Amino acid sequence: MSQIYDTTRRLCRTFEYKFKEAFLFNLLLALFMGIEDKWLNSFIKSLYPGHNFLSSLKRSRILKNHIFSPPSFIVFFSIFMALAAIPVQRTLQINILIGFSCFLLFSVIIPGAILRGDRYLKFSIDDIRSIGFTLFITGLAFLAITLTDVGGIPLLKPSLRYLLNPKLTIPVYLMIPGTAFMLAYITDEMQKGVIDRSTARFRAIAVSLICLVMLALLGYRTPLVAVILITFIMGYYSGLFEIWEVLGSFAVALIIIMGIGYFRSVEEYSLSNLGPLTVLKMRASFTMSILNRLSALSGMTGVMHGDLTLSMIPGAGSGPRTLIGKLVLWRTGVTITPTIFGQMLVEFGTIGVAFGMSILGLILGVGYRIMQKTRDSFYIMLYSILMAYCLISIETGILDQLVVIYILCAFIVYIYNIYLNI
């Protein structure tokens, strides 16, 4: 593994160095620095609420430290079920209760028993910056290729989404971890006192906004929500953002989800008579009804026994959400989001829920404990990526190749840290 990391590090350092020699990059950088200087010294900035705005929120121990702790996953899943507002079958109630219990055990109790030392793997922040920069530029390049391939912008013409080539669109999402890596570098610079908090905030927001605007062109909601969540979870634990700003990010994420969902419902299904909130509730209700059905079908041992996971491999046939569509609707070409519980139930039933939620809880619990102990920008970033996608998986499940790779990479890093503390 060290050889793979060393090779990756050297390649990314070389790419970054060569790219930053380009005239266009230096021109854009000079423009950006000029805008940054104008903003930091502007009158408008002085009107923005200061550090003590809504300081009463900091008196709450939960709001100050635990908004995104592992148990918050259970809170958000419960909110999702409440939003759906449909009856939950008894078998599904039992499965969810088992899943929640296993998740709490392995995320709250077990990590404390296996992480007793203070030795942790340390990564060079310059390597983190180089890797992030390379991932971001790679994703940006594939975005240009993708838009050229379909001959338009899917956000403005939703029908173009069905022409997108997954082999081209999947690499576009490398912009998301690329943004996270660069945010880790920015927050590290702030923590070391190299740049002040105002400068760090401006740069973090600017990088995230660029990523959001670029990804929005594809017309999908999930990547945008991922960027927002990652940015504000990192900002929350690094001290980059205030609590009220983090809470406000939920409102922004909700507006994006409702806005794009409503726009697509009008453009594709002519449902202009429905409001954005109604469209959101309908989506949640439909997803929970699918979960009810999957629970009834799966029993104790499931029905697919690994086939759903294998379908994530490119070129292996129908994708996982298409297989879910075939299973519950008996129709081809339909993609269905099964929730995080749905995919576990389909694979191995109640046993799959117990095992899957235990592993997920362990990864999040270990990551949270390491992040809290070290306050290292790399571990803050790693946990933020995992937590963001786990929250998103409440509806979508973990059925994307890149997300699985992120989890596997985090798992390897955490296992090595556990080994150091044995």
Side-chain angles (χ1 to χ4, degrees):
M1 288 299 296
S2 61
Q3 290 181 339
I4 295 175
Y5 174 75
D6 189 58
T7 301
T8 302
R9 176 186 66 81
R10 286 189 286 106
L11 289 174
C12 291
R13 284 284 190 98
T14 301
F15 175 83
E16 181 188 33
Y17 176 77
K18 294 293 184 182
F19 195 92
K20 287 184 176 180
E21 287 185 327
F23 171 77
L24 180 60
F25 174 82
N26 284 281
L27 180 64
L28 292 175
L29 181 61
L31 178 62
F32 175 82
M33 297 303 291
I35 295 173
E36 176 185 274
D37 183 65
K38 293 291 185 183
W39 167 254
L40 294 177
N41 295 289
S42 68
F43 173 74
I44 298 176
K45 178 184 175 298
S46 65
L47 299 177
Y48 191 79
H51 185 66
N52 294 320
F53 182 69
L54 294 179
S55 58
S56 58
L57 295 175
K58 299 177 184 178
R59 297 171 191 164
S60 168
R61 187 169 175 268
I62 293 176
L63 291 180
K64 188 176 180 180
N65 299 296
H66 303 299
I67 294 179
F68 297 107
S69 62
S72 66
F73 173 85
I74 295 176
V75 175
F76 284 107
F77 194 94
S78 300
I79 292 173
F80 179 77
M81 289 192 295
L83 182 66
I86 65 170
V88 178
Q89 295 177 358
R90 184 164 183 79
T91 55
L92 180 56
Q93 291 177 16
I94 294 171
N95 282 319
I96 291 176
L97 182 61
I98 291 172
F100 283 174
S101 300
C102 292
F103 183 86
L104 282 174
L105 173 65
F106 279 84
S107 66
V108 177
I109 299 174
I110 300 299
I114 60 179
L115 279 173
R116 295 184 178 273
D118 293 306
R119 297 176 59 199
Y120 298 101
L121 187 63
K122 181 69 176 177
F123 291 88
S124 166
I125 196 63
D126 290 327
D127 291 343
I128 298 304
R129 182 200 62 231
S130 297
I131 293 172
F133 184 82
T134 303
L135 290 174
F136 189 89
I137 296 301
T138 301
L140 197 59
F142 272 95
L143 175 64
I145 295 171
T146 296
L147 297 181
T148 302
D149 183 60
V150 298
I153 299 176
L155 176 64
L156 303 179
K157 191 177 181 181
S159 60
L160 291 178
R161 288 191 302 112
Y162 301 104
L163 301 178
L164 292 173
N165 183 349
K167 293 179 181 179
L168 297 177
T169 55
I170 289 175
V172 173
Y173 300 130
L174 291 174
M175 293 176 68
I176 298 174
T179 298
F181 273 67
M182 289 193 286
L183 292 181
Y185 175 76
I186 292 170
T187 55
D188 186 81
E189 292 280 278
M190 180 190 71
Q191 291 168 350
K192 291 176 179 176
V194 177
I195 58 177
D196 60 30
R197 187 168 179 264
S198 294
T199 302
R201 285 163 58 89
F202 177 84
R203 293 180 182 180
I205 293 173
V207 170
S208 299
L209 280 177
I210 292 171
C211 184
L212 281 171
V213 171
M214 294 296 103
L215 291 177
L217 299 179
L218 294 179
Y220 290 107
R221 292 170 290 189
T222 302
L224 307 185
V225 175
V227 174
I228 293 172
L229 287 176
I230 290 170
T231 300
F232 280 92
I233 295 174
M234 289 184 68
Y236 175 68
Y237 285 113
S238 66
L240 191 65
F241 298 126
E242 301 295 337
I243 295 173
W244 67 269
E245 292 175 311
V246 174
L247 295 176
S249 71
F250 287 120
V252 174
L254 187 63
I255 290 171
I256 288 177
I257 291 172
M258 290 193 299
I260 295 181
Y262 179 70
F263 180 74
R264 280 165 49 177
S265 67
V266 171
E267 290 293 316
E268 297 182 52
Y269 309 113
S270 300
L271 298 177
S272 57
N273 58 317
L274 299 178
L277 184 58
T278 302
V279 173
L280 181 65
K281 288 182 176 179
M282 288 174 59
R283 184 180 178 95
S285 298
F286 177 75
T287 303
M288 282 303 299
S289 68
I290 293 296
L291 183 57
N292 265 326
R293 187 162 186 177
L294 291 177
S295 180
L297 288 171
S298 300
M300 284 292 295
T301 57
V303 294
M304 302 197 75
H305 306 136
D307 288 342
L308 188 70
T309 301
L310 292 175
S311 69
M312 284 188 275
I313 300 173
S318 299
R321 293 183 181 89
T322 302
L323 289 181
I324 295 293
K326 290 180 180 179
L327 183 65
V328 297
L329 300 178
W330 299 346
R331 292 170 58 192
T332 60
V334 177
T335 58
I336 300 293
T337 53
T339 79
I340 184 69
F341 281 100
Q343 69 180 98
M344 296 175 183
L345 284 167
V346 166
E347 290 284 53
F348 300 106
T350 303
I351 296 172
V353 168
F355 180 77
M357 293 303 289
S358 296
I359 294 297
L360 187 64
L362 181 63
I363 293 173
L364 283 177
V366 169
Y368 184 73
R369 190 171 181 85
I370 292 175
M371 179 192 69
Q372 292 283 60
K373 277 192 170 186
T374 64
R375 289 294 175 178
D376 184 278
S377 60
F378 172 79
Y379 289 109
I380 291 175
M381 173 206 69
L382 198 57
Y383 179 77
S384 298
I385 292 175
L386 294 179
M387 193 62 195
Y389 278 108
C390 282
L391 292 178
I392 291 170
S393 75
I394 287 173
E395 182 197 7
T396 65
I398 301 175
L399 296 173
D400 297 305
Q401 302 95 327
L402 287 179
V403 177
V404 173
I405 291 173
Y406 304 154
I407 294 174
L408 288 176
C409 289
F411 183 72
I412 292 170
V413 172
Y414 293 153
I415 287 294
Y416 188 82
N417 279 287
I418 293 172
Y419 170 76
L420 289 177
N421 286 280
I422 292 177

